Amino acid sequence: MKLTIRLRYYTRLGQSLFLCGDHERLGGGRQENALPLRYVNEEFWEAALEFPDSPLPDTPLSYYFILRNPDGPVVEDFGADRKLDLARLTGGHAVVIDSWNDLATVENVFFTEPFKTVLLRTEEEAGDATPPGGATHWFNVKAPLLPKGQTLCLLGSAGTMGAWNQAAPVLLRRSPGCFSVRLDLARELFPLAYKYGVYDTERKAFVRYEAGDNRVLAEPASQGSQVIVNDGFARLPGKPWRGAGVAIPVFSLRSEKSFGVGEFLDLPLLADWARRTGLKLIQILPVNDTCANHTAADSYPYAAISAFALHPLYLNLDRLAGPGNRLPEALARLRDRLNKLETVDYVAVMEAKLAFLRNIFPARQMETLACAEYQDFCAQNQHWLAPYAAFCFLRDKFGTSDSGQWREHRVYDATEINTLAARDSTARDEMDFHCFIQFHLHSQLREAAEYLHSQALILKGDIAIGVHRHGADVWQQPELFNTDMQAGAPPDPFAAKGQNWGFPTYNWQRMKQDGFAWWKQRLAQMGCYFDAFRIDHILGFFRIWSIPQSAVEGILGYFVPAIPVRPGEFAARDIAFDHERFARPFIDDPVLREFFGDNAQSVARQFLNPLAGGTYSPKPEFATQRDVEKHFALPENSGRDAGLKEGLFDLISNVLMIETPGAEFHFRLGMEQTSSFRQLDENIQAQMKELYADYFFRRQDDFWRRQGLQKLPALKRVTNMLICGEDLGMVPVCVPEVMKELALLSLEIQRMPKSSNTDFSPPADAPYLSVVTPATHDMSTIRGWWLEDKAITQKFFNQQLLQAGPAPTQCEPWINRDIVRQHLDSPAMWSIFQLQDLLGMDAALRRVDVDAERINVPAVSNYYWRYRMHLPLEALVRAENFNRQVEDMVRRSGR
């Protein structure tokens, strides 16, 4: 079998094209081994391949094209839907004529999983598209938004194409999003002109031609060959598809039978309500296991001890209770008591659930382990499940998740773990116990996801940017992480000193060596349950805010990777580089009085050493924020004034620059606001400000762009979930550009504009490929925000709601309703609302305590995540007036 793949592409001098696919002849999925295409003429490049007639590949070839520019960057086209089944071809030669499919093409979004399998699902038409006399040419074209009752047709200059007779067009056969027809053009004269059109199958009438010039086919089929024409998208106008959804953490769900916390099997109840109100999406927070300490600190859903394991918190116990699905009476009473609480009692819920599971496991162990479904689950998830189960056993055995403190197995060794399980029955039973829990979590989440699909709803997950530094992933593959650094976020209006999440940063260079295998496995695991996902802090794929282990606060971080400042750059600006002055805390008497007032001298005596010239340096035992934190953690110091510790933190962060190995320096963000900067000479200040602006806003952008393009296309290529990026914070110019190039949906928040010269970002101005929302889980609700800053509220009332006069003190239901309506009317593909913000429209349903509606406060470290709905889902489903109101608003918006 000979195969010629021809690509229509107009290249510039120095560019080259390659064919990459899953077959070894096409590089085996590795771009560095991709097959070069040969330049044919200004219009075409091609590659010729030969396959033995027997056996032909038993699965369809999946392939895409890549473009290499002279300066190095690789550009991919969208090939997720491009497949070729050689076994279906007849004859000895096939010619495939392809079109480049730009990743940025909006229509590609409609070939992602949520649209293909749920939102735009269509049944494939039965029958064979091959004419009785055989086919020389196959035509394939895409039109994912063509409504039911219509199909594509083909008209052209050839008699077989209807000779442009609109009364007798060639009708195409429909499969999800795609249309095809096979024609025998052996007797036609080439070149042929043709066009696609729309045909109404109910009225049996031609509707219209596609836009643009005629298409031209110059390739006849030689004897015994076939020509496959992949024509890309039909050029049809259409109303953009838009949908609405609701966002809520699973732990926040409340049903009449849940166990004091939301569970996976509560999602179907939420789906019943969402379907009733016209919503099409349910968005949740990460649901991975976070059990590092067995304390309330584990309530933080973004600190997973495994990027793959699900959290036992979400397991429904009734399903495992045995005959009649009845819990023991004492446990049922405890469930009822926990379920009446306003918030989640994380520790009590976890203790009760794990105690019950440990009680029933011995009786269920043999039955479960012998189950074929369980065995399949273990086999398919072996790469993470066994290490995770061993990690949990060792965590509990040694009383800590920090493997560095274990008496044995500090370094992961698969052989040693297998030996441990084989010779130690306690270890084996414990590891089986954790696998047992994961199997049932998997089954229950799959059941919930399938129910959502049956209700024409999709499930959107959340992929956290980091993992717990003392977790199974870091223990198993420490080479993938930089454990000497801490990931976080730079200072912003929500956290003046930045955020320190404590996660290790990723060793991207090492991850790249195996083609980002860990990430691919992670996305494949998410694809078992989710149709779409949000990339938490997508900026981290370009550069991450990295904080040394010696620092406690995020303020002492810097971006990695980044092009640093070197001492020679100061000299070029006539600045005498003073290492001590620029890179060490600047402390003198005025600074001490500013920070500590009347206590300045006592602070100096206890914590500082005097230097020449009237300045000070921290004593060695207080040189870093981590040293200060340890001092105040001692029992004899625990009751001291917290302001003293914070003041010492501020002294240590009173620097202009942060030094890294190799005499490289990074500017401290917010340098101009430091006491150190204010005491510089004005001329030096001006030069430093110019260098600061260059560092943050000019020199990095192309560098960061390349970093993002190394990672994101590779990850996008291995999943067909719809991808949304959380692109908030200090956003480099390159980020929205790259997201647009890859057709990744952005996040747009009205009160958090991405432009610095405006107070608000109207939903009406959002791009189509975006998600608009009034608030996220890290922010106050609409009602809470209304109370935070009266000046901003007044401006919003007048400018965004177009209301005259003073703004109401409280966010009245009609105000909440108008804000929701603005988001529904937005041109954005998705408008997604926290459930609290929808309930805020109804005076009878919304919570009395506004503050109790908030899920997280990022500025508070070790925040206790425990928000719960204040009414059960069953009551929400029965709230007819409210549901009609939401349904009417969604319907009127066209979503």
Side-chain angles (χ1 to χ4, degrees), residues 251 288-305 311 313 344-348 350 401 468 501 503 856 860-866:
F251 63 77
N288 296 102
D289 188 356
T290 59
C291 297
N293 308 294
H294 297 307
T295 68
D298 295 341
S299 68
Y300 180 33
Y302 287 89
I305 62 165
H311 204 306
L313 184 74
V344 177
D345 186 334
Y346 178 90
V347 174
M350 282 299 298
S401 62
H468 200 292
W501 303 324
F503 311 142
N856 179 43
V860 178
S861 60
N862 300 317
Y863 190 80
Y864 191 178
W865 296 58
R866 57 191 312 195

Side-chain angles (χ1 to χ4, degrees), residues 67 146 247 349 423 467 473 567 581 641 665 744 746 756 831 858:
L67 172 72
L146 199 66
V349 170
R423 63 176 170 78
V467 296
D473 298 285
R581 182 65 182 84
D641 178 16
F665 298 86
L744 306 180
S746 64
S756 59
S831 58

Side-chain angles (χ1 to χ4, degrees), residues 822-833:
Q822 285 184 346
H823 286 74
L824 287 170
D825 291 341
S826 167
M829 175 182 282
W830 288 101
S831 58
I832 300 176
F833 305 91

Side-chain angles (χ1 to χ4, degrees), residues 16 74 130 162 239-240 366 417 454 468 571 578 643 685 722 727 765 804:
S16 54
V74 171
T130 307
K239 188 176 181 181
M366 298 306 296
I417 294 302
S454 74
H468 200 292
D578 185 337
Q685 282 187 355
L722 178 66
D727 53 338
D765 295 342

